[in-house]
Amino acid sequence: MQSQKKHPQLFSFEFYPPKSEEGAANLQVVHSKLAKLNPDFFSVTFGAGGSTREKTFESVIEIQSKGIAAAPHLSCVASTRENIREILKRYQDHGISKIVALRGDLPSGMLSAGEFRYANELVEFIRQETGDHFQIHVAAYPEVHPQAVNGDQDFKNFKRKVEAGANAAITQYFYNAEAYFYFIDQCEKNGIDIPIVPGIMPITNYSQLFRFSEMCGADIPRWMRKRLECFGDDRKAIQAFGIDVVTALCGRLLESGAPGLHFYTMNQAGPTLTICENLHIGQRTE
Ligand code: FAD
């Protein structure tokens, strides 16, 4: 973990763009609660294929106007170069300087993958078009991307994104800390020393977590599944267990030298706030 310890520990919170007025009002409340923790940035997801293009843009501009940096996600699948160029220019014109560059997954029913095949091509394009303007974050998969041929190939593909100019990475969420430590080891053996920030998914709803994890290839360890199954519909019990387990995971990662944490908030403040409070995040002086 030596390569990671040299980076400052930075914290970020991810939102998805709200779909309704009610969702927008909720996000304002969530944002103001989490802003008190003074994160490094808030990020806003982007529907692959451009489905949330305007809503992502609006949320990013609104968040940035409130004083803490906002980083749009940008996925390139089903996009053209011209499309991406326009989006980058718009963000540049609005003073946005961080971006999370992704491939995304082709939405069902959409047949053409567009002009970019993989995220490394997007990173390369952003650098060609905008030089060093953007601090580029990319995705990393300590438990291996679900479509990868194998772990080695997936790692080589991660390396391509770093070589194309990524400044930092955020991982898919995981509950096995060992997978992250192993991934960092592999990075160090391959001369990769950018910050690789663990993505953290608080646990609030077992069936939703189970579905997501199946899709994105995140492993819920057997002991966690077996415990979660016992709680049935008892949301309070699920959340209390989730807070304990995720606080312990985050504490271990930070003590081992992880360069911060990125929380997938699912537009809810409660669980993320409690975990951060447990770890005294936002009250740090260093
Ligand atoms: P890539 O890095 O391109 O990898 C995709 C797959 O292709 C992998 O299996 C990889 O091994 C393989 N591959 C990569 N490069 C090559 C190559 N040159 N040749 C051959 N094979 C290759 N999705 C959204 O739609 N919107 C979001 O806002 C969003 N935000 C995310 C944020 C984070 C932090 C993470 C971890 C994921 C996010 N996702 C988002 C999900 C992501 O889009 C999916 O996981 C997607 O399947 C892969 O995107 P990627 O950028 O990791 O793709």
Side-chain angles (χ1 to χ4, degrees), residues 17-275:
K19 296 186 187 83
S20 61
E21 278 183 24
E22 201 186 344
N26 170 60
L27 187 55
Q28 293 213 1
V29 175
V30 173
H31 171 270
S32 70
K33 288 184 178 167
L34 293 175
K36 294 195 178 117
L37 300 178
N38 200 21
D40 185 48
F41 65 90
F42 289 100
S43 80
V44 183
T45 62
F46 182 91
S51 58
T52 68
R53 179 175 158 154
E54 283 312 307
K55 288 202 158 39
T56 298
F57 178 78
E58 285 162 18
S59 302
V60 162
I61 299 308
E62 188 177 345
I63 290 170
Q64 179 105 347
S65 74
K66 291 182 178 162
I68 295 177
H73 294 208
L74 179 58
S75 70
C76 59
V77 73
S79 264
T80 61
R81 285 186 166 65
E82 195 41 45
N83 234 323
I84 298 287
R85 185 176 289 122
E86 270 171 31
I87 295 175
L88 293 172
K89 166 113 184 40
R90 215 165 158 210
Y91 281 127
Q92 247 185 318
D93 290 348
H94 283 80
I96 302 297
S97 60
K98 292 178 196 289
I99 203 156
V100 183
L102 303 145
R103 183 197 69 177
D105 294 305
L106 199 60
S108 58
M110 221 180 243
L111 296 176
S112 162
E115 293 180 8
F116 297 89
R117 289 168 312 158
Y118 299 108
N120 66 296
E121 296 171 6
L122 175 63
V123 175
E124 207 173 292
F125 184 73
I126 298 174
R127 286 286 174 243
Q128 267 167 20
E129 293 286 313
T130 64
D132 286 336
H133 174 82
F134 288 105
Q135 189 192 13
I136 305 178
H137 290 67
V138 291
Y141 299 87
E143 293 183 326
V144 183
H145 185 264
Q147 293 156 9
V149 175
N150 58 43
D152 279 356
Q153 285 301 325
D154 200 38
F155 184 78
K156 282 184 186 144
N157 292 329
F158 172 69
K159 193 161 181 259
R160 288 179 208 263
K161 298 193 274 194
V162 178
E163 285 165 356
N167 303 99
I170 301 171
T171 75
Q172 184 55 275
Y173 68 87
F174 57 85
Y175 299 105
N176 296 304
E178 303 312 326
Y180 173 76
F181 298 138
Y182 184 82
F183 188 81
I184 300 296
D185 251 17
Q186 221 182 346
C187 287
E188 290 177 351
K189 287 181 182 136
N190 284 274
I192 296 173
D193 64 354
I194 61 169
I196 298 171
V197 178
I200 302 297
M201 179 68 90
I203 300 170
T204 53
N205 175 325
Y206 179 48
S207 53
Q208 191 189 48
L209 180 73
F210 188 77
R211 248 193 350 267
F212 273 5
S213 304
E214 286 283 294
M215 276 186 316
C216 69
D219 181 45
I220 309 177
R222 178 188 154 86
W223 70 272
M224 281 178 62
R225 272 189 283 120
K226 290 287 166 196
R227 298 271 169 189
L228 283 162
E229 279 164 17
C230 301
F231 300 130
D233 291 334
D234 185 347
R235 283 207 160 200
K236 275 197 172 158
I238 293 172
Q239 291 191 11
F241 174 76
I243 295 288
D244 277 355
V245 169
V246 178
T247 299
L249 172 70
C250 293
R252 184 166 173 219
L253 293 167
L254 292 175
E255 276 160 26
S256 305
L261 301 170
H262 176 85
F263 286 87
Y264 297 106
T265 70
M266 307 302 284
N267 292 10
Q268 293 180 43
T272 299
L273 265 179
T274 308
I275 295 164

